[in-house]
Amino acid sequence: MKWTCVIVEDLQVAADYLVKCCEKSALLQVKGHFTNVEEALDYLNKNSVDVLFLDVEMPGATGFDLLDQLAYYPKVILTTSKSEYAYNAFEYNVTDFLKKPFTYQRFQESLNKLTTPAGENNISSTATDHIFIKCDGKLVRLNNDDILFIESMGDYVKFVTIDKKYITHNTIKNLEEKVNRQCFIKVHRSYIININKIDDIRENDLFIKGNEIPVSKAHKADVLKRLNII
């Protein structure tokens, strides 16, 4: 199975080289190439990818600006010609730092890091106890334990907490792969719920703090497996 990836790089020659490396590896499927942060964000916040090859210096916003605004956090491999960004790369906990120009052998070393436990810990949002969502022009931190459920609203989703609701541009399909699976489970094509917040289940519906949420037949067995039924 191939990893899906996106390349964010303003220099065409550098992007072309990355595409060739990805194709040669036979491990990566390039889903898109973007030359600026705005276009990349528009795509990434609507589509989930496994790996992000990210340049730092581009016209307008930087690669780090993109990471600050991204609604989820894929495996990130920075590609830059300047070593001084290595510290920032460490701060953002990226999987690897490729200093341009790099060889195909060095590129392969980066791919190896994608499969190591350390690499997974670096980038997986599913291992954290919180998420950040983009809402009302800012990034808002939500602790997993505060989220009751997530509801689809077409091209948007609604995060419902005990005392507030947040609407952000995203999809259930994308979030399903990004939220902490120890806490959350998809119960319907339009709902992801916090498994620890269920009050009761009645036939094909579950209830969380007075909210009735449908459970599809396709997901009911998985939901019941996650419950501590005695």
Side-chain angles (χ1 to χ4, degrees), residues 130-209:
H130 65 275
I131 59 173
F132 279 90
I133 63 171
K134 190 175 183 182
C135 185
D136 297 329
K138 58 185 178 182
L139 289 173
V140 179
R141 173 176 170 143
L142 296 180
N143 293 325
N144 291 339
D145 192 53
D146 292 334
I147 301 170
L148 301 180
F149 61 90
I150 308 167
E151 180 182 357
S152 172
M153 300 176 65
D155 291 333
Y156 292 81
V157 295
K158 177 169 61 178
F159 287 80
V160 179
T161 67
I162 294 175
D163 55 6
K164 197 169 182 179
K165 298 175 182 178
Y166 302 85
I167 296 176
T168 185
H169 192 275
N170 217 314
T171 65
I172 289 292
K173 182 179 179 181
N174 178 46
L175 292 174
E176 183 183 6
E177 301 297 322
K178 304 305 172 185
V179 294
N180 189 327
R181 296 184 187 181
Q182 293 181 338
C183 302
F184 298 97
I185 184 171
K186 184 178 180 181
V187 299
H188 185 274
R189 67 177 181 274
S190 298
Y191 289 91
I192 292 173
I193 62 105
N194 188 328
I195 197 75
N196 300 313
K197 302 299 181 180
I198 298 175
D199 293 318
D200 60 87
I201 298 178
R202 308 171 201 172
E203 296 185 352
N204 294 319
D205 297 287
L206 60 82
F207 294 80
I208 299 178
K209 304 299 181 186

